[in-house]
Amino acid sequence: MATYQEFIQQNEDRDGVRFSWNVWPSSRLEAAKMVVPLSCLFTPLKERPDLPPVQYEPVLCSRPTCKAVLNPLCQVDYRAKLWACNFCFQRNHFPPAYAGISDINQPAELMPQFSTIEYIVQNGPQTPLIFLYVVDTCLEEEDLQALKESLQMSLSLLSPNALVGLITFGRMVQVHELSCEGISKSYVFRGTKDLSGKQIQEMLGLTKPAAPVQQGRPAQPQDHSVSSRFLQPVHKIDMNLTDLLGELQRDPWPVPQGKRPLRSTGIALSIAVGLLEGTFPNTGARIMLFTGGPPTQGPGMVVGDELKTPIRSWHDIEKDNARYLKKATKYYDALANRSAVNGHCIDIYAFALDQTGLLEMKCCSNLTGGHIVMGDSFNTSLFKQTYQRVFTKDYNGEFQMAFGGELEVKTSRELKISGAIGPCVSLNVKGPCVSENVRLGGTSQWKICGINPFTTLGMYFEVVNQHNAPVPQGGRGAIQFITQYQHSSTQKRIRVTTIARNWADAQSQIQHIEAAFDQEAAAVLMARLGVCRAQSEEGPDVLRWLDRQLIRLCQKFGQFHKDDPNSFRLSESFSLYPQFMFHLRRSPFLQVFNNSPDESSYYRHHFVRQDLTQSLIMIQPVLYSYSFYGPPEPVLLDSSSILPDKILLMDTFFQLVIYHGETIAQWRKAGYQEMAEYENFKQLLQAPLDDAQEILQTRFPMPRYIDTEHGGSQARFLLSKVNPSQTHNNLYAWGQETGAPILTDDVSLQVFMDHLKKLAVSSAL
Amino acid sequence: MNVNQQAHMASPYRQPQPALQGYSQPGYGEPPTQYAPYNGPNPGYQQGPAPAGYFPYSSLPSKALPATLASDLSSNSSSPLDLGPVRPSPNSGPPPMLTPQGYSQYTQGDVQNGPPTMSGQPHRPPVSQPYLPGSQPAYHQHYGAPHTGMQQMTNQMSGMHVSAPPPAVSGYAPSSHPQTSVSFSGVPSFSVSSQQNSPAASLTHGQPPSQPPFPGSPPLSQSPFPGVPPPGSQAQYSSTPPLPVSQPQYSSTPPLPVSQPQYASTPPLPVSQLQYSSAPPASSQAHYPGAQPPPASQAQFSGSSQTSPFHAPSSSFAPPAGAPRHPGVQPMQALPHSQYLSGPPRQPMQGPPLSQQNHVAPGPPQPGMAPGMQGPSAQPAPPGQGQGVHPHQNGAFGQMSGPQPGYGGSYPGPQNYGAQPPPPAAPPQKRLDPDSIPSPQVSELPAVQKTRHRIDPDAIPSPIQVIEDDQANRSSEPFTTGVRGQAPPLVTTNFQVKDQGNASPSYIRCTSYNFPCTSDMAKQSQVPLAAVIKPLATLPLDEVPPYIVDHGETGPIRCNRCKAYMCPFMQFIEGGRRFQCGFCSCVTEVPPHYFQHLDHTGKRVDCYDRPELSMGTCEFTATVDYCKNNKIPQPPAFIFLIDVSYNAVKSGLVDLICAELKTLLDYLPRESSEADSCIRVGFVTYNKVLHFYNVKSSLAQPQMMVVSDVADMFVPLLDGFLVNVNESRAVINSLLDQIPEMFADTRETETVFAPVIQAGLEALKAADCAGKLFIFHSSLPIAEAPGKLKNREDKKLVGTDKEKTLFQPQTSFFGNLAKECVAQGCCVDLFLFPNQYVDVATLGVVPSQTGGSVYKYTCFQVPSDGDRFLNDLRRDVQKQVGFDAVMRVRTSTGIRATDFFGAFYMSNTTDVELAGLDCDKAVTVEFRHDDKLSEESGALMQCAVLYTSCSGQRRLRVHNLSVNCCTQLADLYRNCDTDTLINFFAKYAYRSILNSPTKTVRDALINQSAQILSCYRKNCASPSSAGQLILPECMKLLPVYLNCVLKSDVLQPGADISLDDRAYLRQLVTSMDVAESHVFFYPRLLPLQKLDVEGDTLPTAVRDSEERLSKGGLYLLENGLHLFLWVGANVQQELLQSVFNTPSFGQIDPSMTNLPELDNPYSRRLRAIIENFRAQRPRYMKLMVVKQDDKLEPIFKHFLVEDKSTSGGASYVDFLCHMHKEIRQLLS
């Protein structure tokens, strides 16, 4: 067997799973001492080009409380046509279709390489994808124009039979009816009055005239005819909708001097949710909210319309000075939950220079798996490209989006589920696998309404095996993830991933466990915990908690002599972890300084849904250095890497910064790249651009692209990220050719490590 | 398309406007120009006064006459009769008399009368000339005319005069015997002149006979008055055989004497006759009989006078009718015929055969008579005429008692009383008359006995007669308003008004033009003091609309204390530096810019240059201080809200509306000076939800915005909802094309209502303007929404104490909504198209409180009701309307406006707030004393209406009216206007049923009327037998009209009338003006057999009784809401052919709503009449063809208000008896 590195990589590629520990401590007590919980990052729909879905239904364990899916880990008696559930040990008969089963004629789900397998389930009518645009009309003219164009463009990206709907809002909310010819028709709601879903459906005329007589007949077809007024197949109303979008006007209500436009975002969302709730419950749908400012009236307002009262800042929030915060948050939270229950996801595209209330609205996307994209204006490529990328297609020509995902987790007896962190919402399903110590969710099932191949959840487990009941040698713990979802082809699919890991006695086999530590996954998982705490706790508390965890981990796995910091050593599998923690502490996910509440929300939103690689980039940005002295190379995220004759490319996930060193910048200013004899310089300048372009092409959301140079104002993006190894405080560095000093009081990694060691070895703790 | 259409359409629609333009054009913007036109008249005016001594006239006569008259009348009237005297003096009687006198120099006396009477223009010229040599033409008309007397008058006069000369004097004399006599002396000469004018023949005829009689009569009458005369009448009653005949019936006879005297004075005769005539010719005749021979002739003449206009037509009929009826009368034939014609119609009307027979008998004698016109002079005449009876009717109704079946029993009293005098007293001759009258069928002799049993309907006061007389006497001369306290002609009379300081009767009519000085008097008489004000009334085309006055930045000049506006009642003092308010007497400084010197009479030199100083009505431009929120208002908006639920779509209504609106939008009201209307329009459709439309001109297609949140209505769009029609023409047309399509397949049956109003209201709020909502609604709003209603129609409640709840709104929601509407100036016009109960009582709350109208088309079908609806809609959209109006009535110290009736809202006790005020809306105001009034200063009232015009200008329209004050009840009774009184009573009663059971309300009405009449009887007609029913001349129609009110659907519903209809009518009546309420309660019934197909005169109407219908006749009946064409079963084929294009009665299609357009004179004329009727009424009347004995006939008969109604309403005769009983009870 190869190294753990390879093992981990292989597992991730095959199952989309990264565990913090790949060998599991076999008792509850031991597990608790490991500091980093037994947990994993799970990417339910990880793209698997090599995994052909099977066209039949999974075989389930017959025990009602179990219902685990037949998998390669099950013991099978081919002669008796029996299989034993590896979770509950129930013995089950194969269904009749499996009559021909034998050890040479195995169904796919029993083959070891199919630890992840996807079933296509044929049942019920297929419903097309649904896209409901919710458009703010209180925009500047150019912004609105750009938005309109993007929306019109998006119609061409949709599959012809996808259903689209349009809601516009400003002071009022308009639900546009798309079916009529000639006269364009819309239902209008005032933006200040909260309505229940039922009321909304009544007002939209969606409630069918009561005809309970014909109960036998499913009302499905009628249903569609009714709702069809608002949601129409793209191919039918392509032209109409394009015209309609073209005719969209800015909100006509006058905005007096010194006021914000009245924007009824809350009601608009509520109506969108209500509309879909009434017409297409449990069907994949995206509500796409495009807004250019904060909600200023009605439920869900985050700021009044007086311009003289600024929108809440972190400062206000700390002082409990944000009048609308709690109410609005609660409002959107309720909306998100309603939407999630029906399997609809909400995307928020908020483009404005000021805040737009993402802090309050974030749960709409967070709970439903929708996107949040934030920027300055709809009239930027950041929006246009990102929006286009929503409709990216996979190698099969299908959208890289799936809907209405439901993730169910099953564990073997020694384990229980304690929670999940990600763009999901608990379905509150109690079961034998659910941990008593509820921290997150208290369920074994989650709903992930909007899901794509990169959506990654952090799953947290608890070892419940008691210390005095050791797992037999060679025993394995198993976890099964069952993800049902609606594929973008509208098929209903079930993906089952079953994984198993060895148990180890932490006392006797600590080194095994230690070696099987996945510090990258652990860092991300711990970060998610931290971010999750940060939503509800004070920033310093979270940092303190994080520090303590780090120190405890170091104490547990470090090798040192008591009270001798210099003797402190960490094994290779832990070596990077403290550094991740250092950068995490400085990251916008935990630090709110210099970020607006909206920005923090935005960063956190993305952090808890991206896969491991992206998450790591977010924690510790990647820095590449380009120079004449060799090929581009990754360099330390450290101020010492900032050198005059180098070009740096930093990727923080949200930003791409190209930084030209002082000398390079001067050369560039002098125009050397234009001269034929300095072709190489031109190439040097071009290299990071090309690399950046590559990232820009693929990442969602598209990062902010910053091209700056030494002394440039935008260089702050870089300077704020690098480890301030040289600052104005350690003067000795001045003038040396070792990098650029950072004007900060922040501790450098060096200082951080010193303290860590000191604390780790301290016997006082 | 559109363009063309517009062009075409424009002309018809705009036609009216041009006129307006013309008027406005004078340009009020510029003072000079403004006044230019105005000045014209002024100069004339001024001049007039000087030479003519115009003022003197007014002043002298008014005082002198009134006093004398009053006294006279009171005395006379009391003894003679009732109304006869009273009325005559003011109206007809005196006028003629006076006029002549005036000419002769009696002007003084005439003054009052003169003007009113003026009738014969032709004569005028000469008259006037002689009269006022110096006076200018203008003058002549006013003053001269009266004197001269109309042609008719002349005729009558001539006739009358002839006989009258002597009597006339006396007649008038009655009021002032001495004077009259004097005048008389002069008169004769006059009479001559009149004679000249009039056909010699007639004159001659009339004269000879009449004269003789008169001479005799006058004395008689006079004598009676002085001392015996009354007795004479009394005697009659009591028993005086000779006189009695007529007298008996006549209890009124006394009037006869009186009248006679009047007659004596030729003019008076006509007058009296007129009066009588009103009572029915019979009465006049009766008088004559009373008067004896002469009367007969007179009667004839009277008849003639009456008939004069109708001679031609009547003649044909006359013969038969006249002949049969009044044998004795016949003598008059020659004259009579013509006369009869007029009179005749009635007779013929009645069961022709019977009457004929009866008459026939007498007939023979008649012939004899006829030849010797003189016959009339002979006593027979009176008897023969039976008219004698009529007179009785006029005056005394005692007789009526017995005859009637149902009634007789119930009211023994009347029988006795009534019966006693007449029958017994009635001498043979007279008996004949009376007999014949009461029971024409019965032979004379037997009749005697039967007299008691039945009252001849012809013998009781006839509305038709009164109307005809007034029309004849007062329509020819303009009514000048310069003199205080003049009673204008009846509303049914066509007359021109010259504003000389008091508002035209078109704007204000009072129940009385002589207010009692003290509240005690007012209480005693029980006559309500009220005014019906129609502030924005449309004037006839030949009258000048109010001038617009701009007082500049400071706004109109007002009294400092009571804030009354500058008007002719302000007295300038101290050389013009100050003025004293006529209302509160407070002295206010004249602002420097308004200062003007006074002339030697204390008048401002510029008095006639300033409309506000010389006109009863003028309009001020208001300054920003008079605007809401001190902001110049935006031009108003019209919002059309169309029900598109299943019922509305299915009935074709939506199609119809949309098609109509396309053209109608070109004719929105506008200022005459503007090319296009400033009014913006908006559109909403609705069923359970509301659909707003964005019709912004920049759109290619309209956009529909649905608001389903009916619980909390709002306007979904700002820009593009209210648009200028011309700018958004294409989009609007597209919208109107598409609306019917869009809802063609609707299944939605439920509707909302309150949110619809809220929507309009919110839209106006958002646009910050006033406006009008046109709501087209089809069903009870049962959809879940504010103002949701339930069906509460419960016929079991009718007649119970809980009935009133049915007229009250179901919920207070609409009341509050109305309040909001008023605050915004949002007027709501509601068009209802119900198939079943819609609760008009509740739905109508907002319209009725915002100055709006409710139109109701039950079971609407396009073919049958489409025309009516479209015409109503057109008119409603186009009519001149003011918005956001506040009306305030200020009065002299001493009285106060205390109660208001109409479609408005009041947030305090003085300001009438009208979100919208259109030209058809009238407000009735009741006044009460809070102190004493003085005879000297009279009672002044000023009605100021502040409103926003259709172009968004803020204006103040001010109407001023002065009436006299009296300390004698007789003066009060002499100057009443019964039509206005009825208007008030109706409104009062219709409001009372909201709080009291209908029976209580009816009883209260009867009681009050009885008190009014008994007070008159007690104080103004003292020396007469208790058994006599004596009515004041001005109020002799009070019983018949009152009965119409009492038996109206609202107060006494039949089984077939729905609750909605009652509620609808109740609200409708609330804002009616006098003309409307008059015809509404007493429909106009025209016989069409003999149409003057060439001329434009209408046939004389007949009374609303089935007896008046002839099987062989065609009749047209209108009441302002309905129009019936009744076809007798025996109508001649040719007539049917020319009207219906079918020779057979059976083939007439009763479902037609318009007559076929046939190219023959008769058809053309008939259709022209129908169109004319329709044009006169604010609402379009659908024509219903009713065939005799057809199943629809009961509907028609419902409007024959003199008959007993199926719902239990009394017949006229029965009711009169009942009233008599009530009065007697009060007296005893």
Side-chain angles (χ1 to χ4, degrees), chain B residues 58-210:
Chain B
S58 61
S59 64
L60 291 179
S62 65
K63 288 183 181 176
L65 280 184
T68 56
L69 287 179
S71 63
D72 296 331
L73 289 177
S74 64
S75 64
N76 293 335
S77 63
S78 65
S79 64
L81 354 163
D82 9 0
L83 324 192
V86 180
R87 252 278 159 138
S89 59
N91 288 342
S92 54
M97 292 297 295
L98 298 176
T99 52
Q101 293 176 353
Y103 286 105
S104 54
Q105 292 169 348
Y106 292 98
T107 51
Q108 299 171 348
D110 300 337
V111 176
Q112 290 182 340
N113 301 332
T117 51
M118 12 180 149
S119 49
Q121 295 175 348
H123 303 290
R124 296 180 194 171
V127 176
S128 63
Q129 290 175 353
Y131 168 44
L132 301 175
S135 70
Q136 299 176 346
Y139 232 60
H140 293 299
Q141 290 180 350
H142 299 294
Y143 294 87
H147 304 296
T148 50
M150 319 273 286
Q151 295 175 345
Q152 299 174 351
M153 291 302 292
T154 58
N155 293 340
Q156 300 172 353
M157 301 292 286
S158 65
M160 303 299 287
H161 294 305
V162 176
S163 62
V169 177
S170 65
Y172 272 45
S175 55
S176 59
H177 291 287
Q179 294 178 354
T180 50
S181 65
V182 174
S183 63
F184 243 75
S185 62
V187 176
S189 67
F190 203 66
S191 65
V192 175
S193 69
S194 64
Q195 290 175 359
Q196 293 174 350
N197 295 334
S198 61
S202 65
L203 290 178
T204 57
H205 289 290
Q207 291 176 350
S210 64

Side-chain angles (χ1 to χ4, degrees), chain B residues 102-422:
Chain B
Y103 286 105
S104 54
Q105 292 169 348
Y106 292 98
T107 51
Q108 299 171 348
D110 300 337
V111 176
Q112 290 182 340
N113 301 332
T117 51
M118 12 180 149
S119 49
Q121 295 175 348
H123 303 290
R124 296 180 194 171
V127 176
S128 63
Q129 290 175 353
Y131 168 44
L132 301 175
S135 70
Q136 299 176 346
Y139 232 60
H140 293 299
Q141 290 180 350
H142 299 294
Y143 294 87
H147 304 296
T148 50
M150 319 273 286
Q151 295 175 345
Q152 299 174 351
M153 291 302 292
T154 58
N155 293 340
Q156 300 172 353
M157 301 292 286
S158 65
M160 303 299 287
H161 294 305
V162 176
S163 62
V169 177
S170 65
Y172 272 45
S175 55
S176 59
H177 291 287
Q179 294 178 354
T180 50
S181 65
V182 174
S183 63
F184 243 75
S185 62
V187 176
S189 67
F190 203 66
S191 65
V192 175
S193 69
S194 64
Q195 290 175 359
Q196 293 174 350
N197 295 334
S198 61
S202 65
L203 290 178
T204 57
H205 289 290
Q207 291 176 350
S210 64
Q211 288 176 350
F214 278 81
S217 66
L220 289 180
S221 64
Q222 291 176 352
S223 63
F225 287 76
V228 182
S233 63
Q234 293 174 352
Q236 296 170 352
Y237 288 16
S238 59
S239 64
T240 45
L243 296 176
V245 178
S246 61
Q247 292 171 349
Q249 304 165 345
Y250 249 18
S251 43
S252 58
T253 37
L256 289 181
V258 177
S259 64
Q260 291 173 352
Q262 298 171 350
Y263 289 96
S265 59
T266 13
L269 287 182
V271 176
S272 64
Q273 291 174 352
L274 291 179
Q275 303 166 352
Y276 287 90
S277 66
S278 67
S283 68
S284 65
Q285 294 172 352
H287 298 303
Y288 294 92
Q292 298 174 348
S297 65
Q298 291 175 351
Q300 297 171 354
F301 288 98
S302 67
S304 66
S305 66
Q306 299 169 354
T307 53
S308 63
F310 304 96
H311 290 308
S314 58
S315 64
S316 64
F317 278 81
R325 275 204 174 184
H326 313 281
V329 178
Q330 287 181 351
M332 313 148 150
Q333 306 164 339
L335 303 174
H337 288 303
S338 61
Q339 300 168 350
Y340 272 34
L341 297 184
S342 63
R346 303 174 183 170
Q347 300 169 349
M349 304 295 291
Q350 304 171 342
L354 293 180
S355 65
Q356 287 178 354
Q357 293 176 351
N358 296 337
H359 294 288
V360 173
Q366 292 176 355
M369 300 295 285
M373 286 307 293
Q374 306 126 4
S377 65
Q379 292 178 350
Q385 293 174 349
Q387 299 155 355
V389 180
H390 301 299
H392 294 295
Q393 298 166 354
N394 293 340
F397 298 99
Q399 300 174 346
M400 343 213 291
S401 61
Q404 300 166 355
Y407 235 68
S410 58
Y411 303 116
Q415 292 181 351
N416 298 336
Y417 122 79
Q420 336 162 328

Side-chain angles (χ1 to χ4, degrees), chain B residues 1168-1187:
Chain B
I1169 290 176
I1170 289 173
E1171 283 317 307
N1172 180 25
F1173 277 18
R1174 284 173 173 164
Q1176 282 178 21
R1177 306 298 171 201
R1179 296 187 181 213
Y1180 184 86
M1181 296 177 285
K1182 176 173 91 173
L1183 179 69
M1184 274 183 76
V1185 175
V1186 177
K1187 291 154 64 173

Side-chain angles (χ1 to χ4, degrees), chain A residues 343-407:
Chain A
H344 307 137
C345 71
I346 301 174
D347 295 344
I348 301 175
Y349 302 88
F351 284 79
L353 290 171
D354 197 1
Q355 298 188 75
T356 56
L358 283 182
L359 172 64
E360 289 82 356
M361 293 192 282
K362 63 177 186 288
C363 46
C364 288
S365 294
N366 286 346
L367 297 185
T368 62
H371 305 303
I372 293 181
V373 184
M374 192 174 121
D376 292 341
S377 159
F378 285 108
N379 197 15
T380 57
S381 61
L382 175 58
F383 167 69
K384 293 172 184 171
Q385 303 268 334
T386 303
Y387 183 55
Q388 208 160 351
R389 217 157 285 165
V390 173
F391 302 100
T392 307
K393 303 204 167 146
D394 65 12
Y395 53 91
N396 283 329
E398 305 280 2
F399 287 130
Q400 284 187 330
M401 59 174 92
F403 296 94
E406 232 179 272
L407 172 63

Side-chain angles (χ1 to χ4, degrees), chain A residues 179-197:
Chain A
S179 58
C180 47
E181 296 288 323
I183 216 165
S184 70
K185 198 170 166 185
S186 59
Y187 283 69
V188 189
F189 297 81
R190 73 161 70 208
T192 51
K193 188 177 167 194
D194 197 8
L195 300 164
S196 72

